[in-house]
Amino acid sequence: MNFVEINNISKSYGTHKALLETSFSVKKGELFGVIGPDGAGKTTLFRILTTLLLADSGSANMAGFDILKDYKKIRQIVGYMPGKFSLYQDLTIEENLAFFATIFGTTIKENYELIKDIYIQIEPFKDRPAGKLSGGMKQKLALSCALIHKPEILILDEPTTGVDAVSRTEFWDLLRRFKEMGITIIVSTPYMDEASLCDRVALMQEGKIMQIDTPANIVKNYKPELLAIKSNNMHDLLVKLREYNLNSQVYLFGQTIHFSSNQTINQSDLNNYLKNNGHTNVEISTSIPTIEDCFLWLMKQHN
Amino acid sequence: MLPVIFVMPIIQLIILVNAATYEMKNIKLCIVDQDLSTFSRNLSSKFEGSPYFVIEKRTFSSKEAITYIDRGEITAAIIIPQGFERKIIRNEKNIKVQVLIDAINGTNAGVSQAYIISILQDYNKQILSKLLPVNSSNNGIVTSRRFWYNPELNYKTFMVPGILVLLITIISFILSGMNVVREKEIGTIEQINVTPIKKYQFIAGKLIPFWIIGLFELAFGLTIGKLLFDIPLVGSLGLVFGFAAIYLIVLLALGLLVSTIVNTQQQAMFISFFFMVVFILMSGLFTGVESMPEWAQIVNKANPLAYFVEVMRMILLKGSGISDIIKQLIAIITFAFFMISLAVWRYKKIS
């Protein structure tokens, strides 16, 4: 059963098309990721789902409630955490939490079980104004506030942007735990490495969804051969590889350069070509694609 | 913020009430006495004796007097032409004295002119009584004046109620005008909008704190006015606060309306200032509403400040009761309903 259904939602700002006929569905209790670079339309999509923005066309319903007709009911069951920290900076942690609990007609006590794991971490600072918290703590407070009314659907807009690596891992652990409690989670992120932590992901680019699948299937569907190449002169290597095969995709990936093409690549021919161009210590190996490789490949196909 | 709320009314009242005055003292004068006679000397000594004038220059040339005005050294020149005394004694017609006034500041020029004319008329009467037989029927009309509600024409009594209006207007309008837009800038409004909070709850939550602050400011300001300037509090204070309570709703709703329309605090400030300047200058606080052109008086019907300034002065100085201000009361209640509906209607939780 689909818990969240989105059908052909479009939205433009003036002439700029932010969302183009976007459709997807999310099952109950699923951790669904929307992966895409900045400007892909993730925030616009989320603001439409949380009834903050009206779509130009298309429809959507969440937990059986239409986002247009039943927006009041949706506000009761959705927890939203915007990308920008947007709690009251001059209220303390406790005051913010109490404030949002009151607005939703509940109390901190009533739903304490749900936020206990997060709240314990920020509790030592509960008398500190929210504006004076570190990035990671702000994030945890915002998540607590989004959960305080025990929502059925949690919508998180880039919750880990600007947060350190340790806090990011912790954050995803928390999301897993909420998922186990039966909360449906839709989360967006610009970090490709976080995609593998979701049950299913939608890869998004320029207002369009390129692919929706489980992270494993997305990697499995990656057709071309992927080579990781190294040499003594990495910059020239990038240039030379781009000249080698016009129909290829070449980009820096950590310590190596990733090279992929629609055509089959003869590794010894490539090795010779590079040596003839003055490269030494050339290492070529086949590589297992990551979500990022898949995303970049899909982007190339779409352009 | 808290100290500002206390310090602002004290400073505004002390500075504005003392400084913003039309009373003119020490008007700088140049006497051009081309006659050099007893009569002309008598006339100039009249100016010398007045507390309103200071004789800054004396000369024989009217050209020189004009250059003094050009340079801004004097405000007015009084030119007594040659033959002044002779004409008076011979009882000739067309006895003339010329008065030149620097009218860079129109208000000041008007007041100076009135003072000068009254001294000249006074002198004129004196001459007439000297020259004409005592039992002459031509004694003119004797005027005697009595100023009601402010017998000494104390400027401060007149200004304090007006400045108080200014004070609570600024506080309520600017604070509410900046408030929602600040939430827009920080992004907290997003978080509020996704909650099931009702529109009226949100707006009430925004208005009530400022409403209380506004009324508190009024009480505080009135206390200072009474203690420092000893302004008369003739009428009912309850009526003053009742009217102020409704007036504050109008201003707060207007501020809220501005706040919901604009996107940044800068824009909010700009628009609030535009309204404030128009409202204040047309309110009758500094210049009488009655002397404005007819169209301006019609425009002023939509100026809540004008009603409040008028009512404050009526109640505090005159002791007017509710039946005297019923017209203003109806107007301000209408405004309150109109503005609050407009603000609630304009505030949307969905963009």
Side-chain angles (χ1 to χ4, degrees):
Chain A
M1 178 219 162
N2 287 332
F3 203 53
V4 177
E5 280 270 9
I6 295 155
N7 295 315
N8 300 320
I9 290 238
S10 296
K11 174 79 192 177
S12 355
Y13 297 110
T15 54
H16 173 71
K17 292 186 168 68
L19 275 181
L20 279 164
E21 310 252 306
T22 305
S23 307
F24 65 84
S25 56
V26 180
K27 291 188 188 66
K28 189 167 172 57
E30 203 173 16
L31 175 50
F32 189 88
V34 179
I35 320 285
D38 293 339
K42 300 183 302 271
T43 303
T44 305
L45 176 64
F46 282 11
R47 294 189 68 209
I48 290 171
L49 289 183
T50 49
T51 72
L52 285 172
L53 196 66
L54 292 175
D56 295 340
S57 63
S59 66
N61 71 72
M62 313 235 286
F65 298 121
D66 187 86
I67 54 164
L68 279 181
K69 277 180 263 157
D70 306 319
Y71 69 94
K72 279 183 181 160
K73 283 187 185 111
I74 286 179
R75 285 174 183 169
Q76 298 273 8
I77 58 154
V78 171
Y80 174 51
M81 179 173 154
K84 202 176 144 203
F85 181 71
S86 51
L87 299 176
Y88 290 94
Q89 314 245 1
D90 37 7
L91 295 186
T92 65
I93 289 186
E94 213 177 11
E95 287 166 343
N96 262 305
L97 212 50
F99 176 67
F100 282 101
T102 313
I103 289 185
F104 281 103
T106 176
T107 57
I108 301 180
K109 241 183 210 165
E110 212 169 302
N111 294 316
Y112 187 69
E113 271 307 300
L114 196 61
I115 59 159
K116 198 177 78 186
D117 292 332
I118 327 167
Y119 191 61
I120 279 173
Q121 297 175 39
I122 50 173
E123 206 175 7
F125 312 100
K126 65 178 184 189
D127 294 325
R128 194 182 286 189
K132 297 209 170 112
L133 295 172
S134 71
M137 283 202 280
K138 275 184 184 167
Q139 228 62 354
K140 282 168 193 158
L141 173 60
L143 186 59
S144 306
C145 288
L147 281 164
I148 194 69
H149 59 293
K150 212 176 176 192
E152 290 177 47
I153 305 170
L154 196 55
I155 295 183
L156 311 166
D157 192 5
E158 301 199 4
T160 52
T161 301
V163 174
D164 67 87
V166 179
S167 298
R168 268 170 66 184
T169 324
E170 277 176 12
F171 199 86
W172 279 94
D173 285 345
L174 287 169
L175 291 190
R176 286 254 141 229
R177 229 172 294 166
F178 294 131
K179 177 190 137 62
E180 276 154 27
M181 292 178 192
I183 299 174
T184 308
I185 303 171
I186 303 176
V187 58
S188 74
T189 175
Y191 301 123
M192 304 290 165
D193 54 322
E194 290 180 343
S196 56
L197 302 166
C198 304
D199 294 337
R200 281 196 308 144
V201 293
L203 301 183
M204 215 175 168
Q205 157 78 4
E206 286 178 346
K208 279 173 282 191
I209 288 184
M210 300 187 292
Q211 198 176 10
I212 303 174
D213 216 328
T214 62
N217 277 342
I218 284 180
V219 173
K220 210 189 285 171
N221 286 337
Y222 184 78
K223 287 284 176 330
E225 194 179 1
L226 181 70
L227 298 177
I229 306 172
K230 255 176 154 176
S231 91
N232 62 331
N233 185 345
M234 292 300 273
H235 177 69
D236 190 56
L237 184 64
L238 199 67
V239 179
K240 287 287 155 7
L241 283 172
R242 279 191 179 144
E243 285 168 5
Y244 181 68
N245 189 331
L246 289 175
N247 209 3
S248 66
Q249 202 177 14
V250 185
Y251 47 89
L252 266 171
F253 195 92
Q255 299 278 339
T256 63
I257 286 173
H258 274 188
F259 180 81
S260 58
S261 171
N262 272 334
Q263 290 140 14
T264 41
I265 304 159
N266 188 319
Q267 289 199 18
S268 56
D269 277 0
L270 180 62
N271 201 347
N272 287 335
Y273 163 78
L274 291 174
K275 278 186 177 148
N276 290 340
N277 278 294
H279 284 269
T280 54
N281 300 333
V282 178
E283 284 173 37
I284 303 179
S285 58
T286 45
S287 175
I288 301 158
T290 64
I291 295 278
E292 185 164 348
D293 294 306
C294 300
F295 191 92
L296 290 168
W297 184 254
L298 282 169
M299 244 174 86
K300 185 175 157 64
Q301 308 309 101
H302 273 260
N303 291 343
Chain B
M1 200 53 210
L2 206 62
V4 176
I5 289 170
F6 284 98
V7 172
M8 205 169 106
I10 302 180
I11 298 200
Q12 279 199 343
L13 276 173
I14 293 175
I15 293 184
L16 287 180
V17 171
N18 282 312
T21 166
Y22 287 141
E23 270 178 334
M24 299 228 357
K25 277 178 187 157
N26 307 329
I27 301 169
K28 288 175 186 160
L29 223 54
C30 172
I31 303 269
V32 185
D33 186 352
Q34 293 168 339
D35 196 41
L36 283 178
S37 58
T38 323
F39 277 84
S40 71
R41 265 193 296 275
N42 276 349
L43 180 56
S44 57
S45 69
K46 281 232 159 232
F47 285 102
E48 247 168 298
S50 156
Y52 299 108
F53 298 99
V54 174
I55 310 238
E56 193 82 8
K57 304 268 181 200
R58 280 174 194 280
T59 172
F60 298 110
S61 136
S62 50
K63 263 190 196 152
E64 207 172 321
I66 290 168
T67 51
Y68 290 141
I69 292 182
D70 283 345
R71 284 194 228 135
E73 289 173 29
I74 55 164
T75 310
I78 291 159
I79 300 161
I80 306 168
Q82 223 175 351
F84 176 71
E85 189 182 48
R86 197 185 58 225
K87 282 184 179 173
I88 291 174
I89 291 168
R90 291 195 190 158
N91 208 358
E92 281 182 25
K93 288 197 170 72
N94 291 329
I95 308 166
K96 279 175 184 163
V97 170
Q98 187 180 26
V99 178
L100 301 171
I101 301 173
D102 181 1
I104 266 193
N105 182 332
T107 322
N108 281 356
V111 177
S112 310
Q113 186 248 11
Y115 287 176
I116 293 169
I117 295 292
S118 82
I119 287 188
L120 287 175
Q121 275 174 351
D122 198 35
Y123 182 68
N124 198 20
K125 249 187 227 164
Q126 219 178 317
I127 300 169
L128 285 175
S129 59
K130 260 188 204 165
L131 296 181
L132 293 174
V134 184
N135 56 358
S136 159
S137 59
N138 197 1
N139 258 341
I141 298 167
V142 180
T143 52
S144 69
R145 294 164 275 206
R146 170 147 162 64
F147 295 103
W148 279 73
Y149 312 122
N150 190 359
E152 289 155 32
L153 284 184
N154 185 345
Y155 200 73
K156 284 163 192 166
T157 308
F158 170 73
M159 280 313 274
V160 169
I163 302 283
L164 275 177
V165 170
L166 195 67
L167 191 82
I168 69 165
T169 304
I170 291 175
I171 293 250
S172 55
F173 193 35
I174 300 277
L175 284 186
S176 70
M178 302 297 259
N179 193 276
V180 175
V181 79
R182 187 179 134 82
E183 294 222 19
K184 274 190 200 166
E185 275 189 2
I186 301 176
T188 46
I189 195 109
E190 290 271 278
Q191 198 88 64
I192 289 289
N193 284 350
V194 292
T195 68
I197 192 170
K198 300 267 192 312
K199 265 184 175 191
Y200 75 86
Q201 291 171 328
F202 179 79
I203 287 185
K206 287 288 164 207
L207 295 192
I208 291 170
F210 298 128
W211 187 74
I212 293 171
I213 292 176
L215 287 178
F216 173 79
E217 285 286 312
L218 180 62
F220 190 58
L222 277 173
T223 315
I224 295 176
K226 182 74 202 165
L227 293 179
L228 242 57
F229 302 106
D230 195 32
I231 53 158
L233 303 174
V234 182
S236 142
L237 280 182
L239 199 55
V240 169
F241 279 92
F243 196 89
I246 304 166
Y247 171 78
L248 276 170
I249 293 175
V250 178
L251 263 279
L252 290 169
L254 187 64
L256 203 66
L257 185 66
V258 170
S259 207
T260 53
I261 292 168
V262 300
N263 288 315
T264 65
Q265 293 195 51
Q266 198 179 20
Q267 292 169 346
M269 199 69 188
F270 191 68
I271 293 184
S272 307
F273 243 86
F274 166 77
F275 277 110
M276 290 276 276
V277 169
V278 174
F279 279 171
I280 290 170
L281 291 182
M282 291 187 72
S283 68
L285 178 57
F286 298 113
T287 48
V289 175
E290 296 77 9
S291 56
M292 290 178 192
E294 205 175 334
W295 60 264
Q297 293 192 33
I298 291 167
V299 171
N300 228 353
K301 293 247 188 294
N303 181 359
L305 237 100
Y307 292 100
F308 196 32
V309 168
E310 195 183 356
V311 166
M312 279 284 268
R313 285 183 179 148
M314 279 170 79
I315 301 175
L316 290 180
L317 308 185
K318 223 179 192 178
S320 300
I322 193 154
S323 54
D324 301 311
I325 60 159
I326 194 76
K327 214 177 71 195
Q328 288 87 341
L329 199 62
I330 289 169
I332 208 84
I333 290 172
T334 317
F335 274 133
F337 271 111
F338 179 69
M339 292 314 302
I340 206 98
S341 335
L342 207 59
V344 173
W345 170 74
R346 192 63 187 69
Y347 165 66
K348 287 191 183 78
K349 286 177 80 179
I350 303 172
S351 52

